[in-house]
Amino acid sequence: MNINGTAHRTISLDESDSEVPLVYTIDQRFLPHELRRIALKTSNDVATAIEEMWLRGAPLIGAAAALGFYLGLREADPATWDRDIKKLTDKLLRTRPTAVNLHWAVARQLTAIEKGVSYDEKIGIARQTALDIIEEDVAICKQIGEHGLKIIEYISNQKSKKIVNVLTHCNAGWLACIDWGTATAPIYLAHQKGIAIHVWVDETRPRMQGSITAYELAQQGVPHTVISDNTGGLLLQQGLVDLCIVGTDRTTRTGDVANKIGTYLKALAAHDNNVPFYVALPSHTFDFSISNGLTDIPIETRSEQEVLEVQGVHAGELKTVRLFPTGTRALNYGFDITPARLITGLITERGVCEANEEAIKAMFPQA
């Protein structure tokens, strides 16, 4: 996707200096005010970037973890190889407990390197696996977009080509992936095809990921309006939303969805007003080992400072301002669970299916 007319991806591996490979990513702490790319030199750098949300989004977290694993293998000592790999794995998995893509990427790396014989061969396999994950994500998101486009086209035809209003929550755009995004991919394809489309962008407190979604949409020329998180219900009641599309950080085999806090409330409001509510996700965001989202998905509790303070850029510098009185405490759950009964359909790279175990199994029988 484009920023100021130039194509970008969220993450890449720079091996121009073969002795010191660098992982470059966009530092999302400065968005939407400033585009900054940062170089991550070590597996510790990657772990910090994931945990502190310098980069965000389940698919991007997975790709970053895969690259961090590669850097970690290069740092490992052959004399203590197994111990170092265990430490590396534990370090990466601790960073974001809810996002299953991270666990999937690390598990894929661990399985892949078993094919190697020498240490150098294992490192080479890890490098290629990380690069494969990046390219696969781009293709998967494009496929999600193509399947989701059919939904938008149908609504557009039903409305006699009038504007299709989409409500989204958090950032499930290309900045949360490598390119295209999940929830935004159908929107971008619809816009490119000339379909009249408008996006209601939840601000998504407390991390304000809506500002990143707005930044993306503005760069692609997609009409959009930012709303406070509590406005969506009223818009749905007034018939100003035609469909909702969100992303997910983990989805059970029965169709329960963990996504950014506030998603459940939007799903309830959409259900009450008979507005379709879709979740867009790559297949590796499914956790086929669990069936009950409420009991089986760990919900990340983040620092209360994210609620008590607000962060932004002023005069080129990242600034933090406190919003509440000293001594006030805050509870900061990062995610909530939307039960399958509230979800119209799951948009995957293989197509759209209902959010239930039978339909998911039919689409992904190998799982």
Side-chain angles (χ1 to χ4, degrees):
M1 306 304 291
N2 292 334
I3 298 178
N4 297 325
T6 301
H8 286 266
R9 285 185 173 183
T10 55
I11 200 165
S12 61
L13 180 64
D14 182 352
E15 297 180 292
S16 55
D17 183 346
S18 60
E19 295 299 316
V20 187
L22 300 175
V23 173
Y24 275 95
T25 189
I26 296 172
D27 191 339
Q28 296 188 29
R29 294 173 297 174
F30 292 89
L31 291 176
H33 310 286
E34 183 179 348
L35 178 65
R36 289 193 185 185
R37 296 187 68 86
I38 52 174
L40 308 176
K41 301 178 181 179
T42 68
S43 60
N44 281 334
D45 289 346
V46 174
T48 298
I50 295 172
E51 186 169 15
E52 298 299 322
M53 294 179 71
W54 302 356
L55 55 88
R56 313 171 189 177
L60 177 55
I61 288 171
L67 287 167
F69 189 92
Y70 163 59
L71 295 183
L73 285 196
R74 293 177 57 97
E75 298 158 4
D77 185 343
T80 56
W81 180 266
D82 290 340
R83 186 185 68 187
D84 289 354
I85 301 310
K86 177 66 165 57
K87 288 182 178 179
L88 170 65
T89 300
D90 291 345
K91 173 175 62 180
L92 291 171
L93 293 181
R94 281 196 304 268
T95 55
R96 298 295 302 277
T98 302
V100 75
N101 302 65
L102 185 153
H103 297 258
W104 166 82
V106 172
R108 180 168 168 178
Q109 284 284 35
L110 288 169
T111 299
I113 65 171
E114 290 178 358
K115 300 174 185 176
V117 177
S118 67
Y119 297 123
D120 286 344
E121 189 176 0
K122 290 177 183 291
I123 291 170
I125 291 172
R127 172 188 175 277
Q128 188 57 52
T129 300
L131 296 177
D132 288 346
I133 287 173
I134 288 172
E135 294 305 320
E136 288 168 12
D137 186 74
V138 176
I140 286 171
C141 286
K142 180 71 178 301
Q143 291 164 348
I144 289 171
E146 290 167 349
H147 293 300
L149 172 62
K150 296 174 184 177
I151 298 170
I152 296 175
E153 285 180 317
Y154 175 80
I155 294 173
S156 174
N157 290 332
Q158 291 294 106
K159 295 187 68 176
S160 302
K161 308 298 183 181
K162 293 180 181 178
I163 295 174
V164 178
N165 288 291
V166 182
L167 174 66
T168 189
H169 186 71
C170 194
N171 176 252
W174 75 267
L175 286 163
C177 303
I178 311 301
D179 209 343
W180 288 104
T182 54
T184 58
I187 295 168
Y188 290 139
L189 286 176
H191 179 67
Q192 290 178 5
K193 197 169 182 179
I195 295 173
I197 195 164
H198 168 266
V199 183
W200 297 110
V201 180
D202 278 357
E203 60 188 353
T204 318
R205 292 180 181 269
R207 294 293 303 217
M208 307 300 287
Q209 285 100 328
S211 67
I212 298 176
T213 299
Y215 176 78
E216 281 194 30
L217 296 171
Q219 291 292 333
Q220 311 312 314
V222 178
H224 62 282
T225 305
V226 175
I227 58 172
S228 67
D229 288 343
N230 291 325
T231 301
L234 178 63
L235 295 177
L236 286 156
Q237 285 179 325
Q238 292 181 337
L240 297 176
V241 180
D242 296 303
L243 79 158
C244 305
I245 310 178
V246 300
T248 171
D249 289 77
R250 184 180 300 210
T251 298
T252 71
R253 67 172 182 268
T254 58
D256 294 341
V257 165
N259 194 48
K260 185 57 60 181
I261 193 77
T263 303
Y264 171 50
L265 296 178
K266 294 301 161 62
L268 281 172
H271 185 266
D272 191 51
N273 290 280
N274 297 312
V275 175
F277 187 96
Y278 287 92
V279 178
L281 71 159
S283 56
H284 48 75
T285 306
F286 281 105
D287 186 342
F288 294 107
S289 70
I290 61 175
S291 60
N292 189 323
L294 288 173
T295 60
D296 297 342
I297 297 178
I299 298 298
E300 179 181 351
T301 304
R302 298 187 57 80
S303 168
E304 64 178 11
Q305 300 308 117
E306 292 181 353
V307 175
L308 298 173
E309 301 173 347
V310 66
Q311 182 175 270
V313 173
H314 177 68
E317 295 185 17
L318 198 65
K319 300 289 186 180
T320 300
V321 178
R322 187 173 178 91
L323 299 173
F324 294 89
T326 301
T328 296
R329 302 299 304 273
L331 178 62
N332 185 17
Y333 288 123
F335 303 87
D336 58 23
I337 306 298
T338 300
R341 63 181 175 83
L342 299 177
I343 298 169
T344 306
L346 305 172
I347 309 172
T348 78
E349 71 270 25
R350 294 191 180 185
V352 182
C353 69
E354 294 181 359
N356 61 61
E357 187 165 11
E358 183 178 352
I360 293 169
K361 184 177 180 179
M363 185 158 285
F364 300 95
Q366 80 288 352

